[in-house]
């Protein structure tokens, strides 16, 4: 958890320099991956929906897209995606 939290903190630092939230930066990074990408985000309040929509106003330079991608590249995030029992149920190999 501490290792992953440090990655999220670094994303937040980058977002702060851009004047946006970490969520907006993450969504803008996703949108930069492919022009036809549609992110389905949870928004249980109008404020969160507004925040998520703010990501559409961000234009990320290619170097920044690369930097954020490298931050969360495979092997950088610690732990499994799901609890061990669920991982076993999902294992299709």
């Amino acid at each position: 958890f501490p290792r992953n939290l440090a990655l999220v903190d670094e994303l937040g630092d980058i977002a702060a320099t851009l004047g946006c939230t970490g969520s907006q930066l993450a969504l803008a990074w996703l949108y930069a991956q492919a022009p036809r990408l549609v992110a389905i985000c949870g928004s249980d309040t109008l404020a969160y929906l507004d925040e998520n929509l703010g990501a559409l106003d961000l234009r990320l330079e290619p170097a920044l897209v690369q930097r954020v991608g490298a931050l969360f590249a495979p092997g950088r995030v610690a732990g499994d995606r799901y609890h061990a029992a669920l991982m076993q149920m999902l294992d299709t190999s």
Side-chain angles (χ1 to χ4, degrees):
F1 185 76
R3 180 173 159 188
N4 294 342
L5 191 55
L7 297 174
V8 172
D9 287 344
E10 190 170 342
L11 182 75
D13 292 344
I14 297 168
T17 66
L18 296 173
C20 67
T21 67
S23 301
Q24 289 171 325
L25 176 55
L27 286 170
W29 179 85
L30 281 174
Y31 297 144
Q33 303 308 301
R36 295 182 187 203
L37 182 91
V38 176
I40 301 173
C41 323
S43 295
D44 51 350
T45 67
L46 190 54
Y48 288 136
L49 178 60
D50 280 342
E51 179 181 344
N52 289 341
L53 290 173
L56 297 173
D57 296 329
L58 292 173
R59 299 291 175 260
L60 305 181
E61 297 293 326
L64 185 57
V65 171
Q66 221 173 9
R67 180 178 172 196
V68 172
L71 186 63
F72 293 96
R76 301 268 341 256
V77 176
D80 290 323
R81 182 172 182 179
Y82 300 109
H83 186 273
L86 185 54
M87 287 295 291
Q88 188 174 8
M89 288 179 12
L90 295 173
D91 187 10
T92 59
S93 58

